[in-house]
Amino acid sequence: MADMTGSKIWANSADSHIVEPPGVFDSLPEHIRERMPRSVKDPSGEFETIYIDGQEFRRAMPKPTPGKEKKGLGINARPVDSEEDEFITRTIQGNDPAHRLRDLDGEGIWAEAIYPSLGIWAFNIRTPEVARAGARALNEFALDFQSNSPRFVCAASIPFVDADDAVAEIRWAADAGFHLGFLPVQPPFGRPDWNDEEWDPMWAAFAETGMVIGIHIGTEPVDPSGRIGVYYRGRGGAVLNYVETTYGGQRAVTKLIACGALDRHPALRVLVSEGGATWGPFIADRMDEGYRQHGAAVKPVLSKPPSQFLYEQVYASFQHDRSAVAAQWAMGWKNVMWGSDYPHFEGTFGHTQKTLHELFDGVDPEVSRRIRIGAFQELFPHVPELPADRQS
Ligand code: MN
């Protein structure tokens, strides 16, 4: 067994983000631009108001842990004055392709699946024309960014208000060079759920184009109450709300399998980012039990047990979870992946090497390599392999 203790470990990240710069919607006509998602922070910095297509939502700003050891900003970082500034600085630097690549090299990350930020809000747009124009503007920005390095795998934004519009944008995006499309854990508010027949042409378009479906957890649609990510208050709320964000990805995968979408499209691949990995074998067991024990009520009938679609066509990334590596070798889910979640506070930026060593030192090299590198290469074979000097 190769001893990686003390040496640099390399990994691909199945969960990273880019924060679109102000002005990403500037090319749009005024009446559409004013309906695009934008955030206005309170002077206190504790809350932000998000405006989307005539809707308005408030949420608490994500914060680092008070007193947490400064993690630094990687190579060539400029000094920062406060933790708020740290996040903003990291975000701005992450938008500079050269700086981002230096950061990745410093952290030991080769390639990244990069989700949008405003794009994660944009699916809440309810006006079809606005949704189409917004997705296209976000995609043009992401394509431009992606063109800076084959190590960047940006996710396309898709307008979900209308299934035909979604199909059209998936086809355009695949032609334009996207290999990944962002899917929220649920459709926009008021639309049929992902197991509904309405979306069948969309799954077909993903399968035909070879674009991977990238589900990022925590992307429930905003509802008319204006609530975002707050399900519990009071005692235990922070932990309750954080754990709650993981369930949406599991539900979405269960829907795609149970409705037969993965069965009808064996080429379809689904990545669930940031939601951990140990849930996969658990959900697989539950689906099989339901499928078998309630067989008389099951429709559609699938060509094989539901668990097999999960094990073969679904992938999942975690960042710190201690049990996730065992989901691969002990529970048999070969599609466990790792992700940095750069530049978010849940992520590993600044301590990636420490985390990778804690997770992988002493782990079977084949298992370790599959989780860090191999599964990502399988999903995105166009990404060049790691150079010889970055193979550990
Ligand atoms: Mn993430």
Side-chain angles (χ1 to χ4, degrees), residues 15-17 115 216-217 273-274 319 341-342 344 346:
D15 172 25
S16 298
H17 298 265
Y115 286 91
H216 192 286
I217 66 147
S273 294
E274 208 185 307
Q319 52 275 26
D341 201 27
Y342 175 82
H344 293 170
E346 298 88 352

